[in-house]
Amino acid sequence: MFIAPAGAVVEHPLSDDVCINVACMEQTQITTSSVQTSFASEIEKVVDKIQGNVPKVEWDFEGIHYFDNGPLTVQYLFVLDALNFCFWPDKDLSYDHLASGLKLALEKDKTALDADRLKNYTGPELRQLLNWPRPLPIEEERVRLLHEVGLELERSFGGQAANLVKSAGNSAATLIELITRHFPGFRDHSLYKGRQVFLYKRAQIFVADLWGAFKGQNYGEFHDINSITIFADYIVPAVLRELGILKYGSNLSCSIDSNSEIVPGSEEEVEIRACSIYAVEKMRDLISKKFGKQLLSIDIDLWLWSCGVQNMALSHHRTLSIYY
């Protein structure tokens, strides 16, 4: 079993449909019915190719986020990450539209993301807020999650996401625990062969956004930031597959390459996301052992994600989900 410190629990090995080449520093080969792990793996090839140097990608490298160095930025990021999921059903919609839309809305009206307004937004009002001309994918869920955020921020945190962050005492793991306790919409977990698998993509990315936006200071200061895993979405697994790190069985490959939907909570979906986390943790470990460099999974994720969004030809799995 692989246990990520911030809460991602991954059973390993998984099933026949996802094969992960994991760099194993013990010079052994482990072969099971579902996973082959060998020293001469694709992860090691990738690590050697980059010589352990993961290109540094700055937070907000696109220039699309709101930032005022204060509590309103925290409010913005929490709302952003509450809505940060499932863009692919609309081919013209992307994360950039969400981030920049909320930014422009705040620049026009500093109260746009106040808790008492969040709990009352309708679908058409959300579209107007984002300046989007048609219904959003899973729009009713996005509205429900806005209401949940507004109501619980008012009930427990004086309406301010900044108070939520302060209550975590500069601990990333504590903040994730608080978010998932108070906001059910962030409880990104599935049942996998009788075991619960916790991935917490959006809760973790909120921590990462704070850390990146505030450059590890003020609201972005976390003494355990290295406990955060990558954010298992649909872009990073596609990049790992392109690199040869993730290998899919023929049925799963056909489903992904033909743009067929993968059922949320299915074994295939859980495995794609869980194996992505496992692979990057192994990549990070190998970089440390071979090159003596201590990297954050956040940095590796941002590099992989930035590569993925610039390659429009990448085939990714398609799952209708509120979690990513």
Side-chain angles (χ1 to χ4, degrees):
M1 177 182 290
F2 167 69
I3 304 177
V9 180
V10 179
E11 289 292 337
H12 176 68
L14 298 173
S15 83
D16 291 330
D17 231 359
V18 180
C19 175
I20 178 172
N21 289 312
V22 179
C24 179
M25 291 309 296
E26 309 86 355
Q27 297 188 35
T28 59
Q29 178 161 317
I30 304 168
T31 303
T32 70
S33 62
S34 53
V35 177
Q36 293 184 352
T37 304
S38 65
F39 179 71
S41 71
E42 296 301 321
I43 287 182
E44 187 167 17
K45 292 177 186 176
V46 171
V47 168
D48 286 343
K49 183 176 181 179
I50 65 173
Q51 288 293 292
N53 295 310
V54 171
K56 181 67 175 177
V57 180
E58 294 295 334
W59 184 86
D60 198 32
F61 67 94
E62 316 100 314
I64 57 175
H65 296 94
Y66 179 86
F67 184 74
D68 70 350
N69 203 35
L72 191 55
T73 295
V74 181
Q75 194 86 353
Y76 163 81
L77 291 175
F78 195 52
V79 174
L80 172 66
D81 290 325
L83 300 175
N84 181 6
F85 58 87
C86 206
F87 302 104
W88 61 264
D90 188 325
K91 63 181 178 61
D92 297 321
L93 182 65
S94 70
Y95 170 81
D96 289 13
H97 294 103
L98 176 64
S100 60
L102 291 176
K103 175 185 178 181
L104 289 172
L106 267 186
E107 289 174 344
K108 292 177 182 177
D109 179 2
K110 300 297 185 186
T111 71
L113 303 183
D114 284 2
D116 62 343
R117 294 185 64 180
L118 293 175
K119 67 183 185 182
N120 290 309
Y121 275 120
T122 64
E125 287 170 339
L126 175 58
R127 278 176 251 151
Q128 184 177 12
L129 189 72
L130 299 175
N131 193 29
W132 193 249
R134 53 185 175 273
L136 297 156
I138 328 182
E139 184 173 277
E140 67 282 0
E141 285 297 287
R142 286 184 155 88
V143 171
R144 182 183 68 81
L145 292 173
L146 275 186
H147 294 174
E148 177 183 283
V149 166
L151 286 166
E152 187 58 20
L153 283 180
E154 272 197 347
R155 181 186 298 119
S156 300
F157 300 101
Q160 295 292 316
N163 293 332
L164 165 65
V165 174
K166 289 177 184 176
S167 66
N170 299 115
S171 168
T174 300
L175 181 53
I176 289 167
E177 191 277 327
L178 284 169
I179 292 170
T180 54
R181 183 201 311 168
H182 285 275
F183 302 91
F186 282 85
R187 294 174 190 164
D188 177 7
H189 58 81
S190 301
L191 193 64
Y192 180 83
K193 296 184 178 179
R195 300 292 299 273
Q196 277 192 301
V197 178
F198 303 89
L199 300 174
Y200 294 159
K201 182 259 185 179
R202 290 193 289 106
Q204 289 199 104
I205 208 168
F206 175 57
V207 173
D209 280 341
L210 290 168
W211 179 78
F214 290 94
K215 301 188 183 304
Q217 303 297 316
N218 196 1
Y219 293 107
E221 181 180 354
F222 300 102
H223 61 76
D224 54 351
I225 192 64
N226 64 345
S227 67
I228 300 299
T229 69
I230 65 157
F231 321 118
D233 60 1
Y234 47 88
I235 300 297
V236 171
V239 177
L240 292 174
R241 183 190 183 199
E242 182 78 3
L243 292 171
I245 291 172
L246 286 187
K247 294 187 182 296
Y248 300 151
S250 57
N251 290 339
L252 183 56
S253 291
C254 287
S255 294
I256 292 173
D257 295 338
S258 64
N259 294 331
S260 299
E261 289 189 26
I262 307 296
V263 176
S266 64
E267 289 186 5
E268 293 86 354
E269 188 229 6
V270 176
E271 290 168 0
I272 290 169
R273 301 181 69 206
C275 281
S276 298
I277 293 173
Y278 188 85
V280 172
E281 290 303 307
K282 286 297 181 182
M283 183 184 295
R284 186 170 73 151
D285 289 346
L286 189 58
I287 290 171
S288 175
K289 290 174 182 175
K290 294 195 73 172
F291 299 98
K293 298 176 181 179
Q294 306 302 316
L295 298 181
L296 296 175
S297 294
I298 291 174
D299 290 328
I300 299 175
D301 179 279
L302 192 53
W303 167 53
L304 294 171
W305 185 84
S306 65
C307 291
V309 295
Q310 295 174 58
N311 185 354
M312 301 303 293
L314 274 183
S315 294
H316 62 77
H317 76 283
R318 295 167 182 257
T319 297
L320 282 174
S321 171
I322 68 168
Y323 298 126
Y324 64 99

